[in-house]
Amino acid sequence: MSRGIFITMEGPDGSGKSTQIALLKEYLEKEGYDVIITREPGGTKISENIREVILNPDYKEMSSVTEMMLYTSARAQLIAEVIGPAIDSGKAVISDRFVDSSLVYQGMARGLGVEKVLEINKLAIGDYMPDVTFMLDLPAETGIARKKDQKELDRMEQESLDFHRSVAEGYRQMAARFPERIKTIDATLPIEEICGIIKVRVKSLLDARV
Ligand code: TYD
């Protein structure tokens, strides 16, 4: 059985990841893949419970280290229960956020350090690094404004504009660090155009496998 494919979607809050994930799923299914969609933090019973703790706006006292470890724990469980088995059985997995979120939000915006966060995450991830990551780039102000219109803001979204600016900047630095894996796309482009860019990249990934 050949290994499946693992695609992750990243970007600041409100950058339109869910829409693109749904479109990419359709495309991969047409290409004959069994597609599993998952989100972080979450995607398993344990991880969804951890998510409730992490995002609860009441827990303002949460330390950055606690936060990072909780995200990593939710990820470890998702890999063990869902992503790992799916990839091993040849399926395509699309994850709404993955380790780059921790590298950027906790490693950079919270200041814990990218290397440290990556090292700890290696324990959770093992071999399951994404084949390709799409980063939907959006000015921090636009993302948060979009979210505010949709729902009550969670603990992370309630962070200062400066925090969200360093997230957006952190993603740009991450893309420069992993240029082979991370493809940055301007999230202000029309939906169909973004989807077209994603399909071209995924097609070249699929073509390289045959
Ligand atoms: P969610 O509502 O899923 O965000 P979005 O719709 O913006 O994708 O909330 C997840 C929040 O957690 C989001 O603000 C990003 C943050 N996060 C981290 O800080 N570190 C991580 O490792 C992950 C996966 C998410």
Side-chain angles (χ1 to χ4, degrees):
M1 167 87 51
S2 69
R3 192 179 158 99
I5 50 172
F6 185 21
I7 300 171
T8 61
M9 205 65 80
E10 295 278 353
D13 299 292
S15 56
K17 298 188 296 292
S18 341
T19 310
Q20 292 303 328
I21 288 172
L23 294 168
L24 179 56
K25 177 175 191 276
E26 259 176 48
Y27 172 73
L28 284 167
E29 283 174 345
K30 277 196 199 122
E31 293 291 317
Y33 277 91
D34 222 342
V35 182
I36 306 275
I37 291 183
T38 191
R39 70 158 177 186
E40 281 215 30
T44 72
K45 209 156 130 192
I46 294 173
S47 314
E48 289 291 334
N49 275 295
I50 297 174
R51 177 187 176 92
E52 292 296 312
V53 175
I54 304 178
L55 298 181
N56 189 332
D58 292 341
Y59 299 150
K60 302 251 183 297
E61 70 276 29
M62 188 180 294
S63 85
S64 300
V65 174
T66 305
E67 180 183 285
M68 185 267 288
M69 297 227 176
L70 286 175
Y71 277 116
T72 310
S73 305
R75 179 165 305 127
Q77 190 61 32
L78 182 66
I79 293 274
E81 257 189 68
V82 180
I83 297 179
I87 301 286
D88 292 347
S89 63
K91 294 181 178 154
V93 176
I94 312 172
S95 186
D96 184 344
R97 298 188 179 278
F98 193 62
V99 67
D100 296 299
S101 285
S102 284
L103 300 180
V104 168
Y105 282 77
Q106 282 67 53
M108 300 175 93
R110 292 283 192 227
L112 292 178
V114 172
E115 300 314 323
K116 231 183 260 176
V117 175
L118 184 58
E119 201 48 47
I120 291 168
N121 266 272
K122 281 186 184 156
L123 194 62
I125 295 172
D127 275 349
Y128 300 102
M129 266 310 267
D131 297 298
V132 60
T133 298
F134 294 104
M135 208 288 268
L136 300 182
D137 190 19
L138 193 69
E141 294 81 351
T142 323
I144 286 301
R146 281 192 194 174
K147 278 268 161 166
K148 261 192 197 146
D149 290 344
Q150 294 165 10
K151 60 168 197 144
E152 219 174 293
L153 299 183
D154 64 37
R155 193 178 61 86
M156 299 301 284
E157 289 157 355
Q158 285 180 10
E159 279 294 336
S160 65
L161 188 54
D162 272 355
F163 178 83
H164 289 285
R165 283 198 181 114
S166 47
V167 166
E169 175 52 30
Y171 271 119
R172 283 169 210 136
Q173 289 184 28
M174 210 48 64
R177 177 173 171 164
F178 300 109
E180 298 293 308
R181 176 174 62 85
I182 302 181
K183 168 93 184 136
T184 304
I185 304 173
D186 177 356
T188 64
L189 290 171
I191 290 175
E192 304 71 43
E193 203 169 322
I194 297 175
C195 176
I197 297 170
I198 291 177
K199 279 185 193 165
V200 168
R201 181 71 180 79
V202 171
K203 186 170 187 314
S204 74
L205 179 73
L206 301 183
D207 290 348
R209 291 161 57 87
V210 276

